[in-house]
Amino acid sequence: MAKFPTELNSAFSALADPTRRAIVSRLCDGPKSVSELSEPFELALPSLLKHVRVLEQSGLISSEKIGRVRTCRIEPHALRATEAWLHQHISAWESRLDRMEAHIERMKRKH
C-alpha cells in the first residue's frame, strides 16, 4: 500500500467524523467563534472543543483566542491537499471507466 503524507492521513481521519465535516462546512462561509459553531449541534461545549482540537491538529482549521472568544477559520492549504489526492484518484477512475465504455461499444458493434 502506498505511503501518504501524515498530513493527508490526519485530514482524512479528522474528516471521517460527521460533526467535524459539518464544522468544516460551516467554516467555509467564513471564520466563526466556537459558540457560533456550536449552535446547530446538541453537544456540550467541551465536546465541541474536542472536535475543534482534532481539526486543528489535522491542520484543516486554525483558531485564535482573543479575550474569552476563540475564533476558528478554515486552512485552505490542507483542504487543497485532500482535493488534489481525490482529484488524482477520480481522474484515474474516470479514465478507466471511459476505456471500459469504449470497449463495451466496440463489443456491441461486433454483435
Side-chain angles (χ1 to χ4, degrees):
M1 183 169 224
K3 302 246 183 210
F4 298 105
T6 304
E7 298 82 21
L8 189 61
N9 292 339
S10 295
F12 278 117
S13 179
L15 292 171
D17 183 88
T19 300
R20 292 192 286 266
R21 287 193 306 271
I23 290 169
V24 169
S25 292
R26 289 181 46 79
L27 290 173
C28 285
D29 295 336
K32 294 191 177 16
S33 69
V34 170
S35 61
E36 290 173 315
L37 283 175
S38 70
E39 289 172 4
F41 304 108
E42 294 181 15
L43 293 173
L45 197 55
S47 296
L48 185 78
L49 284 170
K50 286 180 183 179
H51 287 294
V52 167
R53 273 194 290 283
V54 170
L55 290 167
E56 283 183 302
Q57 290 168 350
S58 73
L60 291 169
I61 71 169
S62 62
S63 71
E64 177 183 35
K65 188 170 184 179
I66 299 175
R68 298 179 67 191
V69 178
R70 178 170 298 281
T71 302
C72 300
R73 63 186 36 81
I74 199 87
E75 289 297 331
H77 68 278
L79 287 176
R80 284 189 200 105
T82 58
E83 178 188 30
W85 185 89
L86 287 169
H87 181 70
Q88 174 187 358
H89 288 80
I90 289 168
S91 294
W93 276 104
E94 284 176 343
S95 175
R96 290 177 186 146
L97 291 172
D98 288 346
R99 288 193 311 267
M100 185 172 83
E101 183 179 15
H103 175 71
I104 290 169
E105 287 302 316
R106 284 192 303 275
M107 296 302 290
K108 284 181 180 178
R109 285 192 295 262
K110 284 184 180 180
H111 295 290

